[in-house]
Amino acid sequence: PTGVPSAPATTTAPTLPPSVVPVTSSRAPVAILLPAPTPTEILFPSSMAPSTNAPTRHLDLSFSPSSIGTTTVDTNGREFFISFLRSVDQLNSVELHLAIPDNVYVPNVTVNVEYPVGSFFIAMNVTTGSPTILLLPSECASDWQPETLLQPQLNSVRVLVDQPQHNISVTMVNRASNTYDASLTLPVDALGHRYVIVDTGSFSPEFVITAVEDNTTVTVLSPMDNLFNSGSLVQIVLDRGQSFYVMGDQFEDGNATLTGTMVNSSKPVAVTNGVTCGQFRLGGGECYHAFEMATPVRAWSTFYLAAPLPSQLGDASVYRVVVWESDTNVTVTDLANGEVYTFVLEDGTFWESPELSGGVSFVANKPIFVVQLSTETVGFPSMVNVVAVDQFQFRHTFVAIEGFNTSFSIICHNRDVGGLQLDGKYIPQIHFSPIASTDYSSAVLPLDDGIHSTESSFTGHAITVAGYSEPSSYVYSGGFQYYVEPTILDDSRRGSGGRIRNPDTRNMTTDSEQQVPSIHEGDLA
């Protein structure tokens, strides 16, 4: 790749603890851990068969969100365990952008930060109405030792709000001279026991798993043979704040991926996944670091809508779909031209779309997860989590990172078009375009640097924030909320086909003649 080596050389990380000594203080951090939920997930059976305990509900709907429960979990919180990933450019600036949600009416909150977890780093105030930026040692990202397999490492960050009644949002940012990325982080109460890794493919895919409680047993099953020297299955025990870091093959023809790797733990864990050097379409172009904090399986759903990313990242996207349970029937519809892809996924495999423009819908009979990729043939490489329709929020507080030409996209129900507010002002209806065959619309708007908020009245909405500054870009999705694990929906209209990918199989069939189902308000009742 141009400008950055296509296959970065392996470097030996400094011996832990990091060479940058944390700030010392006599003040002990406030350590209030939320009680662990009763585990509902099972450890991997030898057959990898899905759990049979999940309730089943059959609905005569072609499109429908998952069931709604009574307990709401969202992406604002008071305790966070955060793990950055190694970047191709390790001369980087590692930052946390902290913000108070706009519906919290306090002038400031006090936050204690530990780095590594268990070692006091700094106490700071987060002020309402402006982002508070914390610069962390670059070793937060660079000190991971990929050669130290099956050994816990201590290189993660803990953020804790002093006041138990207040929540904040935290965005992680990894800046380097030629490659940036960002991700919204998840608080402890939004974490889970089960995850599936997603990356972009390319050089050096990576992920890190961090325990939030002592004596956490983590089991990892990878579709990549011999990833752990002894095979594709490994189990490790982590104490609070310890992490398990994994990097895939750095030199495997530029198309290595860990996508489909399954993570199961006895207690909740935090997971970050991505790629050290992402060149999403081979044959030229630059290589970029990309990452997202992974969403746990309990927060997955069965109905997703995606719209084009903000324009500087290109008009087309590629999507990756992963599953936890085998025999998951998925229908993907390119709403702009009516082309439909139907396929069945098994655990450990994933589906990758061709480049799609315009709105795209994803419907499944069991919970799935969707990641949107912008490729360098249509813009700057990036990856971002797609938010399920039934997890849209009414309010978002988010940050436009300084030094970028930043914009954001919105997906909302048509009832909120003209009534959705940005920073307390209504967004004119003219900015919105309908998403074909649905009751939803999307818009892309520019942003000034700093903190922003959106609010809708009738239904929730989703946002994606993206910034561009030659030669780099960043993108991250806004917050989401969820209630209970989704129930299984009717699959009577699902067909077969699609492009299903695992390390050994790539095929693609499409059915452009299949009738495109429409999404209407009655379907979402």
Side-chain angles (χ1 to χ4, degrees):
T2 303
V4 179
S6 59
T10 303
T11 58
T12 302
T15 303
L16 294 175
S19 58
V20 176
V21 179
V23 175
T24 58
S25 171
S26 59
R27 177 180 180 181
V30 179
I32 303 176
L33 286 176
L34 298 178
T38 302
T40 57
E41 295 85 352
I42 58 172
L43 288 177
F44 293 118
S46 57
S47 64
M48 292 304 297
S51 169
T52 59
N53 297 324
T56 302
R57 182 179 67 175
H58 295 283
L59 301 178
D60 186 20
L61 296 175
S62 56
F63 287 70
S64 175
S66 56
S67 63
I68 303 291
T70 57
T71 302
T72 303
V73 177
D74 61 29
T75 51
N76 296 323
R78 63 176 301 264
E79 184 181 23
F80 301 79
F81 285 76
I82 300 166
S83 299
F84 287 85
L85 294 177
R86 287 166 62 108
S87 171
V88 63
D89 185 349
Q90 295 192 32
L91 298 176
N92 51 353
S93 172
V94 181
E95 303 169 0
L96 294 179
H97 292 231
L98 305 93
I100 300 175
D102 71 326
N103 60 337
V104 177
Y105 303 105
V106 295
N108 59 73
V109 298
T110 302
V111 172
N112 291 313
V113 179
E114 298 173 6
Y115 175 70
V117 175
S119 298
F120 179 74
F121 181 70
I122 195 171
M124 58 192 304
N125 286 329
V126 179
T127 304
T128 298
S130 62
T132 299
I133 301 174
L134 172 61
L135 181 63
L136 294 166
S138 61
E139 285 82 0
C140 289
S142 64
D143 260 15
W144 297 112
Q145 303 180 52
E147 66 276 9
T148 312
L149 285 173
L150 305 182
Q151 294 296 322
Q153 300 185 50
L154 194 61
N155 196 40
S156 296
V157 179
R158 179 173 178 250
V159 174
L160 182 69
V161 178
D162 244 348
Q163 301 92 327
Q165 71 273 26
H166 296 319
N167 292 330
I168 61 172
S169 67
V170 181
T171 304
M172 53 196 298
V173 180
N174 194 336
R175 297 176 182 256
S177 58
N178 290 311
T179 176
Y180 293 58
D181 204 9
S183 174
L184 187 70
T185 66
L186 302 183
V188 167
D189 64 343
L191 302 177
H193 302 250
R194 299 183 296 177
Y195 294 83
V196 176
I197 300 302
V198 184
D199 54 55
T200 67
S202 196
F203 302 102
S204 304
E206 56 183 337
F207 64 87
V208 60
I209 304 165
T210 302
V212 301
E213 298 181 36
D214 288 339
N215 197 31
T216 299
T217 301
V218 178
T219 307
V220 180
L221 178 65
S222 174
M224 182 179 291
D225 293 336
N226 298 318
L227 176 64
F228 305 112
N229 298 325
S230 59
S232 59
L233 179 68
V234 68
Q235 192 170 80
I236 187 171
V237 177
L238 302 174
D239 285 332
R240 176 175 169 271
Q242 291 183 335
S243 300
F244 179 42
Y245 174 82
V246 176
M247 177 183 286
D249 193 338
Q250 298 189 56
F251 304 104
E252 185 189 323
D253 72 14
N255 201 31
T257 185
L258 296 173
T259 300
T261 297
M262 305 177 77
V263 176
N264 205 336
S265 59
S266 60
K267 300 175 183 179
V269 293
V271 177
T272 308
N273 48 210
V275 62
T276 303
C277 181
Q279 188 188 26
F280 304 163
R281 282 293 180 264
L282 303 180
E286 295 187 352
C287 143
Y288 290 85
H289 179 48
F291 67 92
E292 282 282 274
M293 192 163 183
T295 300
V297 172
R298 71 171 181 150
W300 291 8
S301 191
T302 54
F303 173 35
Y304 294 78
L305 275 179
L309 293 170
S311 57
Q312 65 263 28
L313 296 179
D315 295 327
S317 296
V318 169
Y319 299 87
R320 284 191 169 187
V321 179
V322 294
V323 302
W324 181 264
E325 298 184 57
S326 290
D327 299 320
T328 298
N329 301 288
V330 185
T331 298
V332 179
T333 305
D334 182 350
L335 297 168
N337 58 34
E339 190 166 22
V340 178
Y341 306 85
T342 60
F343 49 93
V344 179
L345 283 178
E346 305 300 320
D347 50 38
T349 65
F350 66 100
W351 182 85
E352 181 178 290
S353 76
E355 290 183 355
L356 302 176
S357 300
V360 183
S361 67
F362 303 82
V363 179
N365 68 320
K366 300 176 184 179
I368 62 173
F369 194 67
V370 181
V371 173
Q372 187 173 7
L373 311 178
S374 175
T375 72
E376 62 188 287
T377 60
V378 294
F380 282 78
S382 60
M383 64 179 288
V384 62
N385 295 337
V386 179
V387 176
V389 170
D390 61 326
Q391 296 172 356
F392 287 5
Q393 291 190 153
F394 284 87
R395 308 173 74 102
H396 292 272
T397 300
F398 56 98
V399 175
I401 299 174
E402 183 179 358
F404 287 85
N405 176 17
T406 299
S407 57
F408 80 116
S409 61
I410 310 169
I411 299 178
C412 69
H413 195 278
N414 290 339
R415 285 182 293 174
D416 277 312
V417 172
L420 198 150
Q421 299 181 53
L422 170 62
D423 298 333
K425 298 180 180 179
Y426 291 105
I427 301 172
Q429 183 174 349
I430 193 173
H431 291 292
F432 289 87
S433 300
I435 300 176
S437 303
T438 77
D439 285 335
Y440 289 80
S441 295
S442 65
V444 175
L445 297 167
L447 291 171
D448 294 329
D449 294 349
I451 195 167
H452 299 276
S453 63
T454 56
E455 182 175 0
S456 54
S457 300
F458 295 102
T459 64
H461 60 284
I463 66 168
T464 300
V465 184
Y468 162 76
S469 177
E470 182 71 31
S472 297
S473 64
Y474 74 90
V475 60
Y476 68 92
S477 58
F480 61 90
Q481 61 183 12
Y482 64 92
Y483 306 88
V484 295
E485 185 164 324
T487 55
I488 299 175
L489 302 182
D490 173 52
D491 63 351
S492 61
R493 304 191 188 188
R494 314 290 187 255
S496 62
R499 183 186 181 199
I500 302 171
R501 294 188 55 183
N502 59 32
D504 304 313
T505 303
R506 298 184 187 183
N507 56 70
M508 179 174 179
T509 60
T510 65
D511 182 6
S512 59
E513 297 180 355
Q514 183 171 341
Q515 183 177 2
V516 182
S518 58
I519 308 170
H520 297 290
E521 182 178 332
D523 297 331
L524 303 174

